[in-house]
Amino acid sequence: MKQTKTIALLNQKGGVNKTTAAIILATYLSNRGNKVGFVGADAQLHATGTLLKDEYVEYGLYDLISGTKMFDEVVVHINENLDFIPETLMLSTADILLSQKMGGEMYLAQLFDDLFSAKDYDYIIFDCPPAINKITSGIILYAQYFVIPVSPSKYSQKGLEILLEYLAQVFHISKKEQKKFFRVLKTFHNPNEIASQKISRYLDEKRFNMFHTYISKATEFDTLTFTNDVIIEAKPNHPVAKEYVLLMDEVLEWISDNN
C-alpha cells in the first residue's frame, strides 16, 4: 500500500488565508493526478461553500465523530481524484462531543487512522479550525506535516507563538526537529507595507522555518470568495495564482525531502 502523506493547515487566528491555501493545495494535488482526501474541519464552512458552491450538505465530519454515519455516507466526490469530507453546521458542537469522551483528541486521531488506513489516498489535507481545541488536537496527533499561514498582524503573530508552543508540548520535540515538520507561510503580504515588514523581521529574528514563497495581498480574493471560485482555476494567470503554484511545488519538495 502506498505511503499516504498527511498535511494540516492551521493557525488559531482566523482570517489568515488558511482555508484558501488548503483548498488550493487539495485542488492542485488532485489536478496533477494524485488521489486526495480533503477533510473540512473548520465550522465556518468556507471549504464546503467553495468546493460545493454553497450546496446544502446534511452530513459531514460531525457525523463521523458522533458515529452516526459511515465514511461512504458522508464523503463527497468532487472529481475522480478529490474526495471531500465536508463541514456542516453541526460541526460547531463536535468539540463538546469530543470533550465528553475520555481522551477525545486520541479518539479523533484513531478515527482518522481507521477511516483512511484502508483508503488509497496519496495525500490527505486537513483544514483545521481557527482554535486550539479537541478537533485541532486530534488532527495534530494524526497529521505528519503542518503549514501555518501568518498574516501581517500582531494577533496572527501571537496565534503563531501559541500554536508552536502547543505543538512542542504535544510532540515533546526540539526546535530543530520541529523544522522538519512545521513550516510558516506569509499571507496577505506586501513588502512595501510596514505591517508586512514588521512580521517579516519578527519571523527572521525567531528563525522560524519558512516557505520562500509568500502570498500577496489581492483585492480579487474578495470577489473569488463571494463566487466560491478557486483562484488557480478561475484566474490561472493572475500573479497570486502563480504564487500559489510556486508554493505548492515548494510544499511537495519539502515533504519529499523529509520522506
Side-chain angles (χ1 to χ4, degrees):
M1 184 176 291
K2 68 179 70 174
Q3 180 63 46
T4 303
K5 301 167 185 69
T6 52
I7 309 168
L9 286 93
L10 68 169
N11 190 329
Q12 75 162 36
K13 170 67 175 67
V16 297
N17 245 22
K18 169 185 60 64
T19 300
T20 297
I23 292 169
I24 291 174
L25 178 57
T27 301
Y28 178 79
L29 290 170
S30 65
N31 286 347
R32 288 183 55 156
N34 297 287
K35 185 68 174 175
V36 180
F38 182 23
V39 180
D42 185 344
Q44 295 178 93
L45 310 186
H46 179 190
T48 295
T50 299
L51 291 175
L52 303 182
K53 304 299 182 184
D54 282 332
E55 177 183 341
Y56 176 74
V57 180
E58 186 172 2
Y59 304 118
L61 179 57
Y62 172 84
D63 302 279
L64 295 177
I65 294 172
S66 65
T68 56
K69 294 293 178 182
M70 304 294 288
F71 180 86
D72 291 340
E73 295 177 286
V74 305
V75 68
V76 179
H77 303 293
I78 303 300
N79 57 49
E80 63 178 351
N81 289 324
L82 179 57
D83 290 343
F84 178 46
I85 296 177
E87 310 108 333
T88 62
L89 292 173
M90 285 297 294
L91 185 59
S92 60
T93 66
D95 196 61
I96 298 173
L97 188 63
L98 289 170
S99 297
Q100 295 171 346
K101 296 180 179 292
M102 183 71 71
E105 52 273 269
M106 291 296 299
Y107 168 84
L108 184 58
Q110 185 61 54
L111 175 65
F112 289 135
D113 191 53
D114 294 340
L115 289 173
F116 295 122
S117 61
K119 306 298 180 184
D120 197 29
Y121 291 117
D122 297 294
Y123 296 91
I124 300 171
I125 311 300
F126 292 90
D127 178 31
C128 294
I132 295 176
N133 56 20
K134 297 289 185 182
I135 295 176
T136 302
S137 299
I139 294 172
I140 288 172
L141 289 172
Y142 177 75
Q144 300 163 307
Y145 300 96
F146 304 90
V147 177
I148 308 172
V150 177
S151 63
S153 77
K154 63 180 180 180
Y155 300 108
S156 179
Q157 173 184 319
K158 192 63 180 176
L160 170 64
E161 293 172 353
I162 294 171
L163 179 58
L164 288 176
E165 179 62 30
Y166 180 72
L167 288 169
Q169 292 175 5
V170 170
F171 292 109
H172 304 289
I173 60 178
S174 68
K175 290 183 178 180
K176 181 178 180 181
E177 289 174 309
Q178 282 186 37
K179 290 185 176 182
K180 290 176 61 178
F181 307 107
F182 313 140
R183 192 163 285 194
V184 178
L185 166 66
K186 288 190 290 188
T187 60
F188 299 117
H189 187 70
N190 183 340
N192 298 317
E193 291 186 351
I194 292 176
S196 290
Q197 293 169 2
K198 285 183 176 180
I199 196 72
S200 292
R201 284 197 298 270
Y202 164 78
L203 293 169
D204 288 341
E205 290 169 1
K206 294 294 185 179
R207 297 185 178 181
F208 291 131
N209 206 27
M210 302 287 301
F211 288 106
H212 298 297
T213 306
Y214 63 77
I215 305 302
S216 301
K217 290 179 66 175
T219 55
E220 288 86 349
F221 271 122
D222 294 335
T223 302
L224 290 170
T225 299
F226 181 76
T227 57
N228 293 321
D229 288 319
V230 181
I231 192 170
I232 62 171
E233 295 183 330
K235 295 187 175 183
N237 294 319
H238 191 281
V240 172
K242 292 180 179 180
E243 288 173 357
Y244 267 113
V245 170
L246 289 174
L247 173 65
M248 298 305 115
D249 288 337
E250 195 174 347
V251 169
L252 293 180
E253 181 180 2
W254 165 50
I255 292 173
S256 177
D257 288 345
N258 285 300
N259 272 340

